[in-house]
Amino acid sequence: DGSRKVMQISEIVGMEGDVITTQDLFLYKFEGEDKDGILEGEFEPTGIRPHFLPRAQYFGLDRALLEVM
């Protein structure tokens, strides 16, 4: 449809030498087009627990984060 879409949400979990290590937390699942030709879909969690979960827990956000995961 010519628009830009975020296709995945990933987090950086570390480095191995010069290589940045990431893990995908959410992936965009394409579902089709609406009557105007606009692409439709939604993000689905990958089921991987985020590496930053202990930090979210410190700020009291762990329950909300795990609900969407």
Side-chain angles (χ1 to χ4, degrees):
D1 66 5
S3 65
R4 294 177 183 226
K5 302 268 191 266
V6 174
M7 299 303 295
Q8 63 194 38
I9 299 174
S10 304
E11 73 171 329
I12 298 172
V13 294
M15 292 197 62
E16 295 177 6
D18 292 337
V19 177
I20 298 171
T21 306
T22 64
Q23 66 181 10
D24 294 334
L25 300 177
F26 295 90
L27 298 173
Y28 185 79
K29 182 180 176 190
F30 171 72
E31 295 175 348
E33 295 181 19
D34 69 6
K35 61 180 170 53
D36 297 321
I38 305 297
L39 301 179
E40 295 181 325
E42 61 183 35
F43 281 101
E44 290 188 349
T46 60
I48 297 173
R49 293 178 80 97
H51 187 70
F52 63 89
L53 186 60
R55 192 168 194 183
Q57 202 169 25
Y58 175 80
F59 291 103
L61 301 172
D62 55 321
R63 289 184 189 198
L65 178 63
L66 291 175
E67 282 180 19
V68 297
M69 301 298 292

